[in-house]
PDB file of all heavy atoms in Angstrom:
ATOM      1  N   PHE A   5     194.134 247.652  84.532  1.00 43.00           N
ATOM      2  CA  PHE A   5     194.763 248.589  83.604  1.00 43.00           C
ATOM      3  C   PHE A   5     196.259 248.697  83.882  1.00 43.00           C
ATOM      4  O   PHE A   5     197.076 248.690  82.972  1.00 43.00           O
ATOM      5  CB  PHE A   5     194.105 249.970  83.706  1.00 43.00           C
ATOM      6  CG  PHE A   5     194.732 250.983  82.786  1.00 43.00           C
ATOM      7  CD1 PHE A   5     194.466 250.955  81.427  1.00 43.00           C
ATOM      8  CD2 PHE A   5     195.619 251.935  83.282  1.00 43.00           C
ATOM      9  CE1 PHE A   5     195.062 251.879  80.576  1.00 43.00           C
ATOM     10  CE2 PHE A   5     196.213 252.846  82.437  1.00 43.00           C
ATOM     11  CZ  PHE A   5     195.936 252.822  81.075  1.00 43.00           C
ATOM     12  N   ARG A   6     196.618 248.774  85.149  1.00 43.00           N
ATOM     13  CA  ARG A   6     198.026 248.878  85.540  1.00 43.00           C
ATOM     14  C   ARG A   6     198.797 247.644  85.084  1.00 43.00           C
ATOM     15  O   ARG A   6     199.897 247.743  84.546  1.00 43.00           O
ATOM     16  CB  ARG A   6     198.123 249.058  87.059  1.00 43.00           C
ATOM     17  CG  ARG A   6     199.498 249.387  87.552  1.00 43.00           C
ATOM     18  CD  ARG A   6     199.535 249.786  89.037  1.00 43.00           C
ATOM     19  NE  ARG A   6     198.827 248.857  89.883  1.00 43.00           N
ATOM     20  CZ  ARG A   6     197.829 249.178  90.706  1.00 43.00           C
ATOM     21  NH1 ARG A   6     197.431 250.422  90.820  1.00 43.00           N
ATOM     22  NH2 ARG A   6     197.228 248.267  91.447  1.00 43.00           N
ATOM     23  N   SER A   7     198.211 246.458  85.248  1.00 40.00           N
ATOM     24  CA  SER A   7     198.861 245.218  84.802  1.00 40.00           C
ATOM     25  C   SER A   7     199.039 245.206  83.297  1.00 40.00           C
ATOM     26  O   SER A   7     200.101 244.847  82.784  1.00 40.00           O
ATOM     27  CB  SER A   7     198.045 244.001  85.229  1.00 40.00           C
ATOM     28  OG  SER A   7     198.008 243.915  86.635  1.00 40.00           O
ATOM     29  N   ALA A   8     197.989 245.603  82.565  1.00 43.00           N
ATOM     30  CA  ALA A   8     198.079 245.637  81.101  1.00 43.00           C
ATOM     31  C   ALA A   8     199.132 246.637  80.650  1.00 43.00           C
ATOM     32  O   ALA A   8     199.889 246.378  79.701  1.00 43.00           O
ATOM     33  CB  ALA A   8     196.718 245.978  80.511  1.00 43.00           C
ATOM     34  N   LEU A   9     199.205 247.765  81.317  1.00 40.00           N
ATOM     35  CA  LEU A   9     200.203 248.783  80.985  1.00 40.00           C
ATOM     36  C   LEU A   9     201.614 248.258  81.218  1.00 40.00           C
ATOM     37  O   LEU A   9     202.504 248.439  80.373  1.00 40.00           O
ATOM     38  CB  LEU A   9     199.958 250.053  81.811  1.00 40.00           C
ATOM     39  CG  LEU A   9     200.934 251.204  81.586  1.00 40.00           C
ATOM     40  CD1 LEU A   9     200.855 251.693  80.147  1.00 40.00           C
ATOM     41  CD2 LEU A   9     200.624 252.345  82.552  1.00 40.00           C
ATOM     42  N   MET A  10     201.841 247.565  82.330  1.00 41.00           N
ATOM     43  CA  MET A  10     203.170 247.014  82.622  1.00 41.00           C
ATOM     44  C   MET A  10     203.565 245.971  81.579  1.00 41.00           C
ATOM     45  O   MET A  10     204.716 245.919  81.150  1.00 41.00           O
ATOM     46  CB  MET A  10     203.204 246.415  84.028  1.00 41.00           C
ATOM     47  CG  MET A  10     203.042 247.441  85.139  1.00 41.00           C
ATOM     48  SD  MET A  10     204.206 248.804  85.066  1.00 41.00           S
ATOM     49  CE  MET A  10     205.718 247.952  85.395  1.00 41.00           C
ATOM     50  N   ILE A  11     202.620 245.138  81.162  1.00 43.00           N
ATOM     51  CA  ILE A  11     202.905 244.126  80.141  1.00 43.00           C
ATOM     52  C   ILE A  11     203.240 244.808  78.816  1.00 43.00           C
ATOM     53  O   ILE A  11     204.189 244.422  78.131  1.00 43.00           O
ATOM     54  CB  ILE A  11     201.724 243.142  79.996  1.00 43.00           C
ATOM     55  CG1 ILE A  11     201.642 242.268  81.250  1.00 43.00           C
ATOM     56  CG2 ILE A  11     201.868 242.278  78.739  1.00 43.00           C
ATOM     57  CD1 ILE A  11     200.393 241.411  81.337  1.00 43.00           C
ATOM     58  N   ALA A  12     202.498 245.849  78.462  1.00 43.00           N
ATOM     59  CA  ALA A  12     202.765 246.567  77.213  1.00 43.00           C
ATOM     60  C   ALA A  12     204.143 247.222  77.240  1.00 43.00           C
ATOM     61  O   ALA A  12     204.893 247.167  76.255  1.00 43.00           O
ATOM     62  CB  ALA A  12     201.678 247.613  76.969  1.00 43.00           C
ATOM     63  N   ILE A  13     204.498 247.833  78.341  1.00 42.00           N
ATOM     64  CA  ILE A  13     205.819 248.470  78.473  1.00 42.00           C
ATOM     65  C   ILE A  13     206.912 247.418  78.386  1.00 42.00           C
ATOM     66  O   ILE A  13     207.911 247.595  77.681  1.00 42.00           O
ATOM     67  CB  ILE A  13     205.915 249.281  79.780  1.00 42.00           C
ATOM     68  CG1 ILE A  13     204.994 250.505  79.707  1.00 42.00           C
ATOM     69  CG2 ILE A  13     207.361 249.690  80.053  1.00 42.00           C
ATOM     70  CD1 ILE A  13     204.837 251.225  81.025  1.00 42.00           C
ATOM     71  N   ALA A  14     206.740 246.315  79.090  1.00 40.00           N
ATOM     72  CA  ALA A  14     207.740 245.238  79.056  1.00 40.00           C
ATOM     73  C   ALA A  14     207.906 244.708  77.639  1.00 40.00           C
ATOM     74  O   ALA A  14     209.031 244.479  77.172  1.00 40.00           O
ATOM     75  CB  ALA A  14     207.345 244.118  80.008  1.00 40.00           C
ATOM     76  N   SER A  15     206.788 244.519  76.918  1.00 42.00           N
ATOM     77  CA  SER A  15     206.867 244.018  75.550  1.00 42.00           C
ATOM     78  C   SER A  15     207.571 245.016  74.645  1.00 42.00           C
ATOM     79  O   SER A  15     208.385 244.640  73.801  1.00 42.00           O
ATOM     80  CB  SER A  15     205.462 243.720  75.006  1.00 42.00           C
ATOM     81  OG  SER A  15     204.872 242.685  75.755  1.00 42.00           O
ATOM     82  N   ALA A  16     207.262 246.312  74.810  1.00 42.00           N
ATOM     83  CA  ALA A  16     207.895 247.350  73.990  1.00 42.00           C
ATOM     84  C   ALA A  16     209.398 247.411  74.227  1.00 42.00           C
ATOM     85  O   ALA A  16     210.170 247.714  73.316  1.00 42.00           O
ATOM     86  CB  ALA A  16     207.254 248.707  74.289  1.00 42.00           C
ATOM     87  N   LEU A  17     209.831 247.104  75.430  1.00 40.00           N
ATOM     88  CA  LEU A  17     211.257 247.119  75.752  1.00 40.00           C
ATOM     89  C   LEU A  17     211.938 245.792  75.421  1.00 40.00           C
ATOM     90  O   LEU A  17     213.128 245.624  75.656  1.00 40.00           O
ATOM     91  CB  LEU A  17     211.457 247.442  77.235  1.00 40.00           C
ATOM     92  CG  LEU A  17     211.028 248.841  77.676  1.00 40.00           C
ATOM     93  CD1 LEU A  17     211.112 248.970  79.182  1.00 40.00           C
ATOM     94  CD2 LEU A  17     211.890 249.894  76.991  1.00 40.00           C
ATOM     95  N   GLY A  18     211.159 244.845  74.904  1.00 43.00           N
ATOM     96  CA  GLY A  18     211.727 243.547  74.562  1.00 43.00           C
ATOM     97  C   GLY A  18     211.916 242.639  75.761  1.00 43.00           C
ATOM     98  O   GLY A  18     212.657 241.666  75.701  1.00 43.00           O
ATOM     99  N   LEU A  19     211.275 242.954  76.849  1.00 44.00           N
ATOM    100  CA  LEU A  19     211.382 242.136  78.054  1.00 44.00           C
ATOM    101  C   LEU A  19     210.273 241.092  78.065  1.00 44.00           C
ATOM    102  O   LEU A  19     209.177 241.332  77.566  1.00 44.00           O
ATOM    103  CB  LEU A  19     211.267 243.005  79.307  1.00 44.00           C
ATOM    104  CG  LEU A  19     212.290 244.134  79.427  1.00 44.00           C
ATOM    105  CD1 LEU A  19     211.954 245.016  80.620  1.00 44.00           C
ATOM    106  CD2 LEU A  19     213.691 243.562  79.568  1.00 44.00           C
ATOM    107  N   THR A  20     210.550 239.948  78.636  1.00 43.00           N
ATOM    108  CA  THR A  20     209.531 238.914  78.771  1.00 43.00           C
ATOM    109  C   THR A  20     208.636 239.267  79.947  1.00 43.00           C
ATOM    110  O   THR A  20     209.135 239.462  81.060  1.00 43.00           O
ATOM    111  CB  THR A  20     210.189 237.541  79.022  1.00 43.00           C
ATOM    112  OG1 THR A  20     211.098 237.285  77.959  1.00 43.00           O
ATOM    113  CG2 THR A  20     209.150 236.453  79.096  1.00 43.00           C
ATOM    114  N   PRO A  21     207.331 239.388  79.716  1.00 44.00           N
ATOM    115  CA  PRO A  21     206.444 239.695  80.843  1.00 44.00           C
ATOM    116  C   PRO A  21     206.505 238.600  81.901  1.00 44.00           C
ATOM    117  O   PRO A  21     206.717 237.435  81.592  1.00 44.00           O
ATOM    118  CB  PRO A  21     205.046 239.749  80.211  1.00 44.00           C
ATOM    119  CG  PRO A  21     205.280 239.874  78.739  1.00 44.00           C
ATOM    120  CD  PRO A  21     206.632 239.263  78.461  1.00 44.00           C
ATOM    121  N   LEU A  22     206.344 238.997  83.148  1.00 53.00           N
ATOM    122  CA  LEU A  22     206.310 238.031  84.240  1.00 53.00           C
ATOM    123  C   LEU A  22     205.080 237.158  84.106  1.00 53.00           C
ATOM    124  O   LEU A  22     204.003 237.636  83.805  1.00 53.00           O
ATOM    125  CB  LEU A  22     206.274 238.765  85.590  1.00 53.00           C
ATOM    126  CG  LEU A  22     207.486 239.608  85.931  1.00 53.00           C
ATOM    127  CD1 LEU A  22     207.229 240.371  87.220  1.00 53.00           C
ATOM    128  CD2 LEU A  22     208.717 238.741  86.063  1.00 53.00           C
ATOM    129  N   ARG A  23     205.246 235.875  84.345  1.00 59.00           N
ATOM    130  CA  ARG A  23     204.091 234.986  84.307  1.00 59.00           C
ATOM    131  C   ARG A  23     203.487 234.934  85.700  1.00 59.00           C
ATOM    132  O   ARG A  23     204.165 235.161  86.699  1.00 59.00           O
ATOM    133  CB  ARG A  23     204.483 233.605  83.822  1.00 59.00           C
ATOM    134  CG  ARG A  23     205.424 232.884  84.746  1.00 59.00           C
ATOM    135  CD  ARG A  23     205.727 231.496  84.183  1.00 59.00           C
ATOM    136  NE  ARG A  23     206.718 230.840  84.986  1.00 59.00           N
ATOM    137  CZ  ARG A  23     206.475 230.208  86.135  1.00 59.00           C
ATOM    138  NH1 ARG A  23     205.270 230.157  86.610  1.00 59.00           N
ATOM    139  NH2 ARG A  23     207.447 229.625  86.800  1.00 59.00           N
ATOM    140  N   ALA A  24     202.222 234.625  85.744  1.00 65.00           N
ATOM    141  CA  ALA A  24     201.548 234.518  87.034  1.00 65.00           C
ATOM    142  C   ALA A  24     202.116 233.325  87.795  1.00 65.00           C
ATOM    143  O   ALA A  24     202.370 232.273  87.215  1.00 65.00           O
ATOM    144  CB  ALA A  24     200.052 234.355  86.828  1.00 65.00           C
ATOM    145  N   GLN A  25     202.326 233.499  89.068  1.00 90.00           N
ATOM    146  CA  GLN A  25     202.808 232.403  89.903  1.00 90.00           C
ATOM    147  C   GLN A  25     201.654 231.495  90.291  1.00 90.00           C
ATOM    148  O   GLN A  25     200.553 231.956  90.569  1.00 90.00           O
ATOM    149  CB  GLN A  25     203.448 232.936  91.184  1.00 90.00           C
ATOM    150  CG  GLN A  25     204.792 233.567  90.998  1.00 90.00           C
ATOM    151  CD  GLN A  25     205.396 233.920  92.347  1.00 90.00           C
ATOM    152  OE1 GLN A  25     204.725 234.474  93.204  1.00 90.00           O
ATOM    153  NE2 GLN A  25     206.655 233.585  92.536  1.00 90.00           N
ATOM    154  N   THR A  26     201.946 230.204  90.341  1.00 94.00           N
ATOM    155  CA  THR A  26     200.961 229.257  90.848  1.00 94.00           C
ATOM    156  C   THR A  26     200.920 229.402  92.370  1.00 94.00           C
ATOM    157  O   THR A  26     201.871 229.928  92.972  1.00 94.00           O
ATOM    158  CB  THR A  26     201.360 227.814  90.491  1.00 94.00           C
ATOM    159  OG1 THR A  26     202.570 227.489  91.191  1.00 94.00           O
ATOM    160  CG2 THR A  26     201.532 227.633  88.990  1.00 94.00           C
ATOM    161  N   PRO A  27     199.870 228.927  93.016  1.00 94.00           N
ATOM    162  CA  PRO A  27     199.850 228.966  94.484  1.00 94.00           C
ATOM    163  C   PRO A  27     201.059 228.246  95.093  1.00 94.00           C
ATOM    164  O   PRO A  27     201.617 228.708  96.089  1.00 94.00           O
ATOM    165  CB  PRO A  27     198.533 228.273  94.841  1.00 94.00           C
ATOM    166  CG  PRO A  27     197.647 228.561  93.675  1.00 94.00           C
ATOM    167  CD  PRO A  27     198.575 228.494  92.472  1.00 94.00           C
ATOM    168  N   GLU A  28     201.493 227.138  94.501  1.00 96.00           N
ATOM    169  CA  GLU A  28     202.666 226.429  95.018  1.00 96.00           C
ATOM    170  C   GLU A  28     203.920 227.310  94.936  1.00 96.00           C
ATOM    171  O   GLU A  28     204.699 227.383  95.885  1.00 96.00           O
ATOM    172  CB  GLU A  28     202.889 225.129  94.252  1.00 96.00           C
ATOM    173  CG  GLU A  28     204.028 224.310  94.813  1.00 96.00           C
ATOM    174  CD  GLU A  28     204.123 222.918  94.212  1.00 96.00           C
ATOM    175  OE1 GLU A  28     203.141 222.419  93.647  1.00 96.00           O
ATOM    176  OE2 GLU A  28     205.205 222.330  94.324  1.00 96.00           O
ATOM    177  N   GLU A  29     204.094 227.998  93.821  1.00 96.00           N
ATOM    178  CA  GLU A  29     205.235 228.912  93.688  1.00 96.00           C
ATOM    179  C   GLU A  29     205.142 230.063  94.686  1.00 96.00           C
ATOM    180  O   GLU A  29     206.152 230.502  95.232  1.00 96.00           O
ATOM    181  CB  GLU A  29     205.313 229.446  92.258  1.00 96.00           C
ATOM    182  CG  GLU A  29     205.704 228.400  91.242  1.00 96.00           C
ATOM    183  CD  GLU A  29     205.518 228.852  89.809  1.00 96.00           C
ATOM    184  OE1 GLU A  29     204.622 229.694  89.529  1.00 96.00           O
ATOM    185  OE2 GLU A  29     206.258 228.359  88.944  1.00 96.00           O
ATOM    186  N   GLN A  30     203.929 230.525  94.944  1.00 96.00           N
ATOM    187  CA  GLN A  30     203.739 231.627  95.888  1.00 96.00           C
ATOM    188  C   GLN A  30     204.154 231.227  97.301  1.00 96.00           C
ATOM    189  O   GLN A  30     204.876 231.974  97.967  1.00 96.00           O
ATOM    190  CB  GLN A  30     202.282 232.094  95.880  1.00 96.00           C
ATOM    191  CG  GLN A  30     201.873 232.775  94.606  1.00 96.00           C
ATOM    192  CD  GLN A  30     200.375 233.011  94.528  1.00 96.00           C
ATOM    193  OE1 GLN A  30     199.610 232.632  95.421  1.00 96.00           O
ATOM    194  NE2 GLN A  30     199.928 233.618  93.444  1.00 96.00           N
ATOM    195  N   VAL A  31     203.706 230.062  97.775  1.00 97.00           N
ATOM    196  CA  VAL A  31     204.059 229.677  99.142  1.00 97.00           C
ATOM    197  C   VAL A  31     205.542 229.321  99.241  1.00 97.00           C
ATOM    198  O   VAL A  31     206.188 229.642 100.241  1.00 97.00           O
ATOM    199  CB  VAL A  31     203.160 228.556  99.714  1.00 97.00           C
ATOM    200  CG1 VAL A  31     201.715 229.020  99.821  1.00 97.00           C
ATOM    201  CG2 VAL A  31     203.252 227.285  98.930  1.00 97.00           C
TER     202      VAL A  31
END
Side-chain angles (χ1 to χ4, degrees):
F5 179 76
R6 189 171 49 236
S7 296
L9 179 62
M10 294 306 293
I11 290 171
I13 291 170
S15 296
L17 295 173
L19 302 173
T20 304
L22 296 174
R23 65 179 175 81
Q25 286 186 314
T26 66
E28 184 171 340
E29 291 169 331
Q30 291 170 358
V31 297

